PDB file of all heavy atoms in Angstrom:
ATOM      1  N   THR A   1     198.628  -1.736 -44.362  1.00  0.00           N
ATOM      2  CA  THR A   1     198.470  -1.085 -45.648  1.00  0.00           C
ATOM      3  C   THR A   1     197.839  -2.078 -46.626  1.00  0.00           C
ATOM      4  O   THR A   1     198.057  -3.275 -46.493  1.00  0.00           O
ATOM      5  CB  THR A   1     199.825  -0.622 -46.192  1.00  0.00           C
ATOM      6  OG1 THR A   1     200.693  -1.740 -46.336  1.00  0.00           O
ATOM      7  CG2 THR A   1     200.457   0.416 -45.276  1.00  0.00           C
ATOM      8  N   PRO A   2     197.079  -1.585 -47.624  1.00  0.00           N
ATOM      9  CA  PRO A   2     196.703  -0.190 -47.824  1.00  0.00           C
ATOM     10  C   PRO A   2     195.572   0.232 -46.885  1.00  0.00           C
ATOM     11  O   PRO A   2     194.776  -0.595 -46.463  1.00  0.00           O
ATOM     12  CB  PRO A   2     196.255  -0.160 -49.286  1.00  0.00           C
ATOM     13  CG  PRO A   2     195.654  -1.520 -49.488  1.00  0.00           C
ATOM     14  CD  PRO A   2     196.518  -2.460 -48.678  1.00  0.00           C
ATOM     15  N   ARG A   3     195.515   1.516 -46.606  1.00  0.00           N
ATOM     16  CA  ARG A   3     194.530   2.021 -45.645  1.00  0.00           C
ATOM     17  C   ARG A   3     193.100   1.705 -46.095  1.00  0.00           C
ATOM     18  O   ARG A   3     192.256   1.338 -45.289  1.00  0.00           O
ATOM     19  CB  ARG A   3     194.729   3.527 -45.455  1.00  0.00           C
ATOM     20  CG  ARG A   3     193.730   4.149 -44.496  1.00  0.00           C
ATOM     21  CD  ARG A   3     194.035   5.612 -44.267  1.00  0.00           C
ATOM     22  NE  ARG A   3     195.360   5.788 -43.671  1.00  0.00           N
ATOM     23  CZ  ARG A   3     195.868   6.980 -43.368  1.00  0.00           C
ATOM     24  NH1 ARG A   3     195.170   8.082 -43.616  1.00  0.00           N
ATOM     25  NH2 ARG A   3     197.055   7.085 -42.821  1.00  0.00           N
ATOM     26  N   TYR A   4     192.825   1.854 -47.406  1.00  0.00           N
ATOM     27  CA  TYR A   4     191.451   1.649 -47.880  1.00  0.00           C
ATOM     28  C   TYR A   4     191.011   0.199 -47.730  1.00  0.00           C
ATOM     29  O   TYR A   4     189.814  -0.086 -47.706  1.00  0.00           O
ATOM     30  CB  TYR A   4     191.330   2.084 -49.340  1.00  0.00           C
ATOM     31  CG  TYR A   4     192.053   1.201 -50.316  1.00  0.00           C
ATOM     32  CD1 TYR A   4     191.452   0.055 -50.854  1.00  0.00           C
ATOM     33  CD2 TYR A   4     193.352   1.499 -50.720  1.00  0.00           C
ATOM     34  CE1 TYR A   4     192.129  -0.755 -51.746  1.00  0.00           C
ATOM     35  CE2 TYR A   4     194.023   0.691 -51.608  1.00  0.00           C
ATOM     36  CZ  TYR A   4     193.415  -0.435 -52.115  1.00  0.00           C
ATOM     37  OH  TYR A   4     194.099  -1.244 -52.996  1.00  0.00           O
ATOM     38  N   GLY A   5     191.971  -0.723 -47.631  1.00  0.00           N
ATOM     39  CA  GLY A   5     191.607  -2.131 -47.541  1.00  0.00           C
ATOM     40  C   GLY A   5     190.754  -2.463 -46.338  1.00  0.00           C
ATOM     41  O   GLY A   5     189.905  -3.350 -46.381  1.00  0.00           O
ATOM     42  N   TYR A   6     190.940  -1.734 -45.251  1.00  0.00           N
ATOM     43  CA  TYR A   6     190.185  -2.005 -44.026  1.00  0.00           C
ATOM     44  C   TYR A   6     188.766  -1.459 -44.093  1.00  0.00           C
ATOM     45  O   TYR A   6     187.921  -1.815 -43.276  1.00  0.00           O
ATOM     46  CB  TYR A   6     190.912  -1.411 -42.823  1.00  0.00           C
ATOM     47  CG  TYR A   6     192.258  -2.032 -42.585  1.00  0.00           C
ATOM     48  CD1 TYR A   6     193.407  -1.428 -43.075  1.00  0.00           C
ATOM     49  CD2 TYR A   6     192.384  -3.243 -41.921  1.00  0.00           C
ATOM     50  CE1 TYR A   6     194.664  -2.006 -42.882  1.00  0.00           C
ATOM     51  CE2 TYR A   6     193.608  -3.826 -41.722  1.00  0.00           C
ATOM     52  CZ  TYR A   6     194.751  -3.214 -42.199  1.00  0.00           C
ATOM     53  OH  TYR A   6     195.976  -3.789 -42.022  1.00  0.00           O
ATOM     54  N   LYS A   7     188.499  -0.579 -45.066  1.00  0.00           N
ATOM     55  CA  LYS A   7     187.171   0.004 -45.224  1.00  0.00           C
ATOM     56  C   LYS A   7     186.402  -0.605 -46.388  1.00  0.00           C
ATOM     57  O   LYS A   7     185.204  -0.325 -46.546  1.00  0.00           O
ATOM     58  CB  LYS A   7     187.296   1.516 -45.440  1.00  0.00           C
ATOM     59  CG  LYS A   7     187.730   2.295 -44.223  1.00  0.00           C
ATOM     60  CD  LYS A   7     186.605   2.364 -43.191  1.00  0.00           C
ATOM     61  CE  LYS A   7     186.943   3.271 -42.034  1.00  0.00           C
ATOM     62  NZ  LYS A   7     185.838   3.352 -41.049  1.00  0.00           N
ATOM     63  N   LEU A   8     187.082  -1.419 -47.198  1.00  0.00           N
ATOM     64  CA  LEU A   8     186.468  -1.879 -48.429  1.00  0.00           C
ATOM     65  C   LEU A   8     185.229  -2.734 -48.179  1.00  0.00           C
ATOM     66  O   LEU A   8     184.244  -2.652 -48.903  1.00  0.00           O
ATOM     67  CB  LEU A   8     187.490  -2.653 -49.262  1.00  0.00           C
ATOM     68  CG  LEU A   8     187.128  -2.922 -50.718  1.00  0.00           C
ATOM     69  CD1 LEU A   8     186.785  -1.638 -51.440  1.00  0.00           C
ATOM     70  CD2 LEU A   8     188.270  -3.632 -51.420  1.00  0.00           C
ATOM     71  N   TRP A   9     185.249  -3.555 -47.134  1.00  0.00           N
ATOM     72  CA  TRP A   9     184.082  -4.414 -46.857  1.00  0.00           C
ATOM     73  C   TRP A   9     182.856  -3.559 -46.567  1.00  0.00           C
ATOM     74  O   TRP A   9     181.719  -3.963 -46.892  1.00  0.00           O
ATOM     75  CB  TRP A   9     184.359  -5.345 -45.676  1.00  0.00           C
ATOM     76  CG  TRP A   9     184.282  -4.698 -44.324  1.00  0.00           C
ATOM     77  CD1 TRP A   9     185.285  -4.137 -43.613  1.00  0.00           C
ATOM     78  CD2 TRP A   9     183.100  -4.510 -43.534  1.00  0.00           C
ATOM     79  NE1 TRP A   9     184.836  -3.612 -42.438  1.00  0.00           N
ATOM     80  CE2 TRP A   9     183.482  -3.840 -42.358  1.00  0.00           C
ATOM     81  CE3 TRP A   9     181.758  -4.854 -43.710  1.00  0.00           C
ATOM     82  CZ2 TRP A   9     182.576  -3.497 -41.356  1.00  0.00           C
ATOM     83  CZ3 TRP A   9     180.850  -4.515 -42.705  1.00  0.00           C
ATOM     84  CH2 TRP A   9     181.267  -3.854 -41.542  1.00  0.00           C
ATOM     85  N   GLU A  10     183.060  -2.381 -45.958  1.00  0.00           N
ATOM     86  CA  GLU A  10     181.929  -1.530 -45.614  1.00  0.00           C
ATOM     87  C   GLU A  10     181.227  -1.013 -46.871  1.00  0.00           C
ATOM     88  O   GLU A  10     179.998  -1.099 -46.994  1.00  0.00           O
ATOM     89  CB  GLU A  10     182.391  -0.355 -44.758  1.00  0.00           C
ATOM     90  CG  GLU A  10     182.937  -0.762 -43.395  1.00  0.00           C
ATOM     91  CD  GLU A  10     183.316   0.440 -42.549  1.00  0.00           C
ATOM     92  OE1 GLU A  10     183.200   1.587 -43.051  1.00  0.00           O
ATOM     93  OE2 GLU A  10     183.716   0.250 -41.392  1.00  0.00           O
ATOM     94  N   SER A  11     181.998  -0.479 -47.811  1.00  0.00           N
ATOM     95  CA  SER A  11     181.380   0.056 -49.030  1.00  0.00           C
ATOM     96  C   SER A  11     180.797  -1.056 -49.885  1.00  0.00           C
ATOM     97  O   SER A  11     179.788  -0.858 -50.570  1.00  0.00           O
ATOM     98  CB  SER A  11     182.391   0.888 -49.814  1.00  0.00           C
ATOM     99  OG  SER A  11     183.547   0.146 -50.105  1.00  0.00           O
ATOM    100  N   LEU A  12     181.396  -2.243 -49.860  1.00  0.00           N
ATOM    101  CA  LEU A  12     180.800  -3.381 -50.575  1.00  0.00           C
ATOM    102  C   LEU A  12     179.448  -3.738 -49.960  1.00  0.00           C
ATOM    103  O   LEU A  12     178.474  -3.983 -50.668  1.00  0.00           O
ATOM    104  CB  LEU A  12     181.741  -4.584 -50.547  1.00  0.00           C
ATOM    105  CG  LEU A  12     182.960  -4.493 -51.455  1.00  0.00           C
ATOM    106  CD1 LEU A  12     183.948  -5.604 -51.120  1.00  0.00           C
ATOM    107  CD2 LEU A  12     182.560  -4.585 -52.920  1.00  0.00           C
ATOM    108  N   SER A  13     179.387  -3.762 -48.640  1.00  0.00           N
ATOM    109  CA  SER A  13     178.132  -4.058 -47.962  1.00  0.00           C
ATOM    110  C   SER A  13     177.082  -3.019 -48.296  1.00  0.00           C
ATOM    111  O   SER A  13     175.912  -3.343 -48.555  1.00  0.00           O
ATOM    112  CB  SER A  13     178.354  -4.125 -46.449  1.00  0.00           C
ATOM    113  OG  SER A  13     177.137  -4.270 -45.752  1.00  0.00           O
ATOM    114  N   GLN A  14     177.489  -1.749 -48.309  1.00  0.00           N
ATOM    115  CA  GLN A  14     176.546  -0.675 -48.603  1.00  0.00           C
ATOM    116  C   GLN A  14     176.078  -0.702 -50.050  1.00  0.00           C
ATOM    117  O   GLN A  14     175.018  -0.178 -50.382  1.00  0.00           O
ATOM    118  CB  GLN A  14     177.214   0.666 -48.266  1.00  0.00           C
ATOM    119  CG  GLN A  14     177.453   0.856 -46.787  1.00  0.00           C
ATOM    120  CD  GLN A  14     178.632   1.765 -46.479  1.00  0.00           C
ATOM    121  OE1 GLN A  14     179.225   2.354 -47.381  1.00  0.00           O
ATOM    122  NE2 GLN A  14     178.988   1.853 -45.210  1.00  0.00           N
ATOM    123  N   GLN A  15     176.862  -1.351 -50.916  1.00  0.00           N
ATOM    124  CA  GLN A  15     176.478  -1.517 -52.319  1.00  0.00           C
ATOM    125  C   GLN A  15     175.689  -2.808 -52.562  1.00  0.00           C
ATOM    126  O   GLN A  15     175.349  -3.125 -53.695  1.00  0.00           O
ATOM    127  CB  GLN A  15     177.728  -1.516 -53.210  1.00  0.00           C
ATOM    128  CG  GLN A  15     178.380  -0.151 -53.370  1.00  0.00           C
ATOM    129  CD  GLN A  15     177.641   0.747 -54.350  1.00  0.00           C
ATOM    130  OE1 GLN A  15     176.636   0.361 -54.927  1.00  0.00           O
ATOM    131  NE2 GLN A  15     178.153   1.948 -54.536  1.00  0.00           N
ATOM    132  N   GLY A  16     175.388  -3.546 -51.492  1.00  0.00           N
ATOM    133  CA  GLY A  16     174.557  -4.742 -51.623  1.00  0.00           C
ATOM    134  C   GLY A  16     175.306  -6.016 -51.906  1.00  0.00           C
ATOM    135  O   GLY A  16     174.727  -6.997 -52.390  1.00  0.00           O
ATOM    136  N   VAL A  17     176.603  -6.043 -51.567  1.00  0.00           N
ATOM    137  CA  VAL A  17     177.430  -7.232 -51.805  1.00  0.00           C
ATOM    138  C   VAL A  17     178.079  -7.627 -50.490  1.00  0.00           C
ATOM    139  O   VAL A  17     178.577  -6.773 -49.757  1.00  0.00           O
ATOM    140  CB  VAL A  17     178.521  -6.940 -52.867  1.00  0.00           C
ATOM    141  CG1 VAL A  17     179.473  -8.123 -52.996  1.00  0.00           C
ATOM    142  CG2 VAL A  17     177.884  -6.633 -54.211  1.00  0.00           C
ATOM    143  N   SER A  18     178.095  -8.905 -50.194  1.00  0.00           N
ATOM    144  CA  SER A  18     178.774  -9.386 -48.994  1.00  0.00           C
ATOM    145  C   SER A  18     180.198  -9.809 -49.339  1.00  0.00           C
ATOM    146  O   SER A  18     180.460 -10.285 -50.438  1.00  0.00           O
ATOM    147  CB  SER A  18     178.020 -10.577 -48.379  1.00  0.00           C
ATOM    148  OG  SER A  18     176.727 -10.181 -47.953  1.00  0.00           O
ATOM    149  N   ALA A  19     181.117  -9.621 -48.393  1.00  0.00           N
ATOM    150  CA  ALA A  19     182.523  -9.886 -48.666  1.00  0.00           C
ATOM    151  C   ALA A  19     183.210 -10.429 -47.422  1.00  0.00           C
ATOM    152  O   ALA A  19     182.766 -10.202 -46.300  1.00  0.00           O
ATOM    153  CB  ALA A  19     183.221  -8.609 -49.131  1.00  0.00           C
ATOM    154  N   ASP A  20     184.296 -11.158 -47.644  1.00  0.00           N
ATOM    155  CA  ASP A  20     185.168 -11.637 -46.581  1.00  0.00           C
ATOM    156  C   ASP A  20     186.612 -11.301 -46.950  1.00  0.00           C
ATOM    157  O   ASP A  20     186.948 -11.104 -48.123  1.00  0.00           O
ATOM    158  CB  ASP A  20     185.052 -13.153 -46.397  1.00  0.00           C
ATOM    159  CG  ASP A  20     183.738 -13.578 -45.766  1.00  0.00           C
ATOM    160  OD1 ASP A  20     183.292 -12.903 -44.829  1.00  0.00           O
ATOM    161  OD2 ASP A  20     183.168 -14.586 -46.210  1.00  0.00           O
ATOM    162  N   TYR A  21     187.466 -11.249 -45.933  1.00  0.00           N
ATOM    163  CA  TYR A  21     188.909 -11.152 -46.156  1.00  0.00           C
ATOM    164  C   TYR A  21     189.469 -12.573 -46.130  1.00  0.00           C
ATOM    165  O   TYR A  21     189.202 -13.336 -45.198  1.00  0.00           O
ATOM    166  CB  TYR A  21     189.561 -10.303 -45.073  1.00  0.00           C
ATOM    167  CG  TYR A  21     189.182  -8.841 -45.140  1.00  0.00           C
ATOM    168  CD1 TYR A  21     188.116  -8.350 -44.387  1.00  0.00           C
ATOM    169  CD2 TYR A  21     189.874  -7.961 -45.959  1.00  0.00           C
ATOM    170  CE1 TYR A  21     187.758  -7.011 -44.450  1.00  0.00           C
ATOM    171  CE2 TYR A  21     189.512  -6.620 -46.033  1.00  0.00           C
ATOM    172  CZ  TYR A  21     188.455  -6.149 -45.274  1.00  0.00           C
ATOM    173  OH  TYR A  21     188.096  -4.828 -45.346  1.00  0.00           O
ATOM    174  N   LEU A  22     190.251 -12.928 -47.154  1.00  0.00           N
ATOM    175  CA  LEU A  22     190.747 -14.293 -47.289  1.00  0.00           C
ATOM    176  C   LEU A  22     192.248 -14.354 -47.028  1.00  0.00           C
ATOM    177  O   LEU A  22     193.012 -13.571 -47.575  1.00  0.00           O
ATOM    178  CB  LEU A  22     190.456 -14.842 -48.690  1.00  0.00           C
ATOM    179  CG  LEU A  22     188.989 -14.861 -49.125  1.00  0.00           C
ATOM    180  CD1 LEU A  22     188.856 -15.518 -50.500  1.00  0.00           C
ATOM    181  CD2 LEU A  22     188.131 -15.579 -48.111  1.00  0.00           C
ATOM    182  N   HIS A  23     192.645 -15.322 -46.196  1.00  0.00           N
ATOM    183  CA  HIS A  23     194.045 -15.588 -45.936  1.00  0.00           C
ATOM    184  C   HIS A  23     194.623 -16.398 -47.098  1.00  0.00           C
ATOM    185  O   HIS A  23     193.899 -17.082 -47.820  1.00  0.00           O
ATOM    186  CB  HIS A  23     194.165 -16.371 -44.623  1.00  0.00           C
ATOM    187  CG  HIS A  23     195.562 -16.510 -44.118  1.00  0.00           C
ATOM    188  ND1 HIS A  23     196.390 -17.537 -44.529  1.00  0.00           N
ATOM    189  CD2 HIS A  23     196.279 -15.768 -43.252  1.00  0.00           C
ATOM    190  CE1 HIS A  23     197.558 -17.413 -43.916  1.00  0.00           C
ATOM    191  NE2 HIS A  23     197.515 -16.346 -43.143  1.00  0.00           N
ATOM    192  N   GLU A  24     195.947 -16.324 -47.268  1.00  0.00           N
ATOM    193  CA  GLU A  24     196.575 -17.081 -48.349  1.00  0.00           C
ATOM    194  C   GLU A  24     196.303 -18.580 -48.230  1.00  0.00           C
ATOM    195  O   GLU A  24     196.169 -19.280 -49.235  1.00  0.00           O
ATOM    196  CB  GLU A  24     198.082 -16.824 -48.381  1.00  0.00           C
ATOM    197  CG  GLU A  24     198.442 -15.453 -48.926  1.00  0.00           C
ATOM    198  CD  GLU A  24     199.908 -15.317 -49.252  1.00  0.00           C
ATOM    199  OE1 GLU A  24     200.385 -15.972 -50.192  1.00  0.00           O
ATOM    200  OE2 GLU A  24     200.599 -14.552 -48.534  1.00  0.00           O
ATOM    201  N   ALA A  25     196.216 -19.082 -46.998  1.00  0.00           N
ATOM    202  CA  ALA A  25     195.956 -20.510 -46.810  1.00  0.00           C
ATOM    203  C   ALA A  25     194.590 -20.901 -47.367  1.00  0.00           C
ATOM    204  O   ALA A  25     194.407 -22.025 -47.848  1.00  0.00           O
ATOM    205  CB  ALA A  25     196.044 -20.873 -45.328  1.00  0.00           C
ATOM    206  N   VAL A  26     193.624 -19.968 -47.310  1.00  0.00           N
ATOM    207  CA  VAL A  26     192.302 -20.235 -47.885  1.00  0.00           C
ATOM    208  C   VAL A  26     192.406 -20.381 -49.399  1.00  0.00           C
ATOM    209  O   VAL A  26     191.854 -21.305 -49.992  1.00  0.00           O
ATOM    210  CB  VAL A  26     191.309 -19.119 -47.504  1.00  0.00           C
ATOM    211  CG1 VAL A  26     189.996 -19.281 -48.259  1.00  0.00           C
ATOM    212  CG2 VAL A  26     191.054 -19.126 -45.999  1.00  0.00           C
ATOM    213  N   LEU A  27     193.127 -19.470 -50.031  1.00  0.00           N
ATOM    214  CA  LEU A  27     193.284 -19.549 -51.479  1.00  0.00           C
ATOM    215  C   LEU A  27     194.010 -20.826 -51.882  1.00  0.00           C
ATOM    216  O   LEU A  27     193.635 -21.494 -52.853  1.00  0.00           O
ATOM    217  CB  LEU A  27     194.054 -18.328 -51.987  1.00  0.00           C
ATOM    218  CG  LEU A  27     193.355 -16.982 -51.854  1.00  0.00           C
ATOM    219  CD1 LEU A  27     194.274 -15.855 -52.293  1.00  0.00           C
ATOM    220  CD2 LEU A  27     192.079 -16.956 -52.669  1.00  0.00           C
ATOM    221  N   GLN A  28     195.033 -21.193 -51.130  1.00  0.00           N
ATOM    222  CA  GLN A  28     195.789 -22.402 -51.470  1.00  0.00           C
ATOM    223  C   GLN A  28     194.961 -23.666 -51.262  1.00  0.00           C
ATOM    224  O   GLN A  28     195.159 -24.664 -51.959  1.00  0.00           O
ATOM    225  CB  GLN A  28     197.060 -22.470 -50.623  1.00  0.00           C
ATOM    226  CG  GLN A  28     198.072 -21.372 -50.942  1.00  0.00           C
ATOM    227  CD  GLN A  28     199.293 -21.428 -50.052  1.00  0.00           C
ATOM    228  OE1 GLN A  28     199.585 -22.459 -49.433  1.00  0.00           O
ATOM    229  NE2 GLN A  28     200.024 -20.326 -49.950  1.00  0.00           N
ATOM    230  N   GLY A  29     194.005 -23.634 -50.335  1.00  0.00           N
ATOM    231  CA  GLY A  29     193.204 -24.820 -50.060  1.00  0.00           C
ATOM    232  C   GLY A  29     191.861 -24.833 -50.750  1.00  0.00           C
ATOM    233  O   GLY A  29     191.075 -25.766 -50.559  1.00  0.00           O
ATOM    234  N   ALA A  30     191.589 -23.816 -51.566  1.00  0.00           N
ATOM    235  CA  ALA A  30     190.291 -23.716 -52.216  1.00  0.00           C
ATOM    236  C   ALA A  30     190.236 -24.560 -53.478  1.00  0.00           C
ATOM    237  O   ALA A  30     191.258 -24.983 -54.029  1.00  0.00           O
ATOM    238  CB  ALA A  30     189.997 -22.254 -52.559  1.00  0.00           C
ATOM    239  N   SER A  31     189.023 -24.782 -53.958  1.00  0.00           N
ATOM    240  CA  SER A  31     188.804 -25.414 -55.262  1.00  0.00           C
ATOM    241  C   SER A  31     188.147 -24.375 -56.170  1.00  0.00           C
ATOM    242  O   SER A  31     187.530 -23.417 -55.696  1.00  0.00           O
ATOM    243  CB  SER A  31     187.937 -26.657 -55.147  1.00  0.00           C
ATOM    244  OG  SER A  31     186.650 -26.326 -54.630  1.00  0.00           O
ATOM    245  N   PHE A  32     188.275 -24.582 -57.478  1.00  0.00           N
ATOM    246  CA  PHE A  32     187.809 -23.598 -58.445  1.00  0.00           C
ATOM    247  C   PHE A  32     187.046 -24.294 -59.553  1.00  0.00           C
ATOM    248  O   PHE A  32     187.546 -25.229 -60.173  1.00  0.00           O
ATOM    249  CB  PHE A  32     188.996 -22.828 -59.027  1.00  0.00           C
ATOM    250  CG  PHE A  32     190.002 -22.377 -57.999  1.00  0.00           C
ATOM    251  CD1 PHE A  32     191.236 -22.983 -57.917  1.00  0.00           C
ATOM    252  CD2 PHE A  32     189.692 -21.366 -57.104  1.00  0.00           C
ATOM    253  CE1 PHE A  32     192.162 -22.592 -56.973  1.00  0.00           C
ATOM    254  CE2 PHE A  32     190.601 -20.963 -56.149  1.00  0.00           C
ATOM    255  CZ  PHE A  32     191.845 -21.574 -56.075  1.00  0.00           C
ATOM    256  N   ALA A  33     185.825 -23.833 -59.795  1.00  0.00           N
ATOM    257  CA  ALA A  33     184.999 -24.390 -60.865  1.00  0.00           C
ATOM    258  C   ALA A  33     183.866 -23.427 -61.159  1.00  0.00           C
ATOM    259  O   ALA A  33     183.350 -22.753 -60.261  1.00  0.00           O
ATOM    260  CB  ALA A  33     184.448 -25.760 -60.476  1.00  0.00           C
ATOM    261  N   ASP A  34     183.468 -23.380 -62.415  1.00  0.00           N
ATOM    262  CA  ASP A  34     182.309 -22.573 -62.841  1.00  0.00           C
ATOM    263  C   ASP A  34     182.424 -21.113 -62.432  1.00  0.00           C
ATOM    264  O   ASP A  34     181.434 -20.463 -62.090  1.00  0.00           O
ATOM    265  CB  ASP A  34     181.009 -23.177 -62.282  1.00  0.00           C
ATOM    266  CG  ASP A  34     180.820 -24.626 -62.700  1.00  0.00           C
ATOM    267  OD1 ASP A  34     181.168 -24.961 -63.847  1.00  0.00           O
ATOM    268  OD2 ASP A  34     180.347 -25.420 -61.871  1.00  0.00           O
ATOM    269  N   GLY A  35     183.639 -20.589 -62.415  1.00  0.00           N
ATOM    270  CA  GLY A  35     183.845 -19.194 -62.072  1.00  0.00           C
ATOM    271  C   GLY A  35     183.811 -18.880 -60.596  1.00  0.00           C
ATOM    272  O   GLY A  35     183.846 -17.716 -60.211  1.00  0.00           O
ATOM    273  N   LEU A  36     183.739 -19.905 -59.748  1.00  0.00           N
ATOM    274  CA  LEU A  36     183.628 -19.694 -58.306  1.00  0.00           C
ATOM    275  C   LEU A  36     184.888 -20.174 -57.585  1.00  0.00           C
ATOM    276  O   LEU A  36     185.530 -21.147 -57.985  1.00  0.00           O
ATOM    277  CB  LEU A  36     182.423 -20.452 -57.739  1.00  0.00           C
ATOM    278  CG  LEU A  36     181.035 -20.020 -58.231  1.00  0.00           C
ATOM    279  CD1 LEU A  36     179.980 -20.930 -57.632  1.00  0.00           C
ATOM    280  CD2 LEU A  36     180.758 -18.564 -57.887  1.00  0.00           C
TER     281      LEU A  36
END
């Protein structure tokens, strides 16, 4: 759950945006600057 979550990457791709699914470990190990 949620059901739409598994389809969201498809509609993002069809709208011209690339996306990934991020694990919590990625967020905890990421750096943040300049809005990225």
Side-chain angles (χ1 to χ4, degrees):
T1 59
R3 179 176 299 180
Y4 70 87
Y6 297 96
K7 289 288 187 179
L8 194 54
W9 77 268
E10 295 183 357
S11 55
L12 286 168
S13 174
Q14 292 152 6
Q15 287 283 0
V17 174
S18 297
D20 288 319
Y21 292 94
L22 302 184
H23 190 273
E24 286 194 68
V26 172
L27 294 175
Q28 293 178 19
S31 61
F32 315 108
D34 303 322
L36 296 177

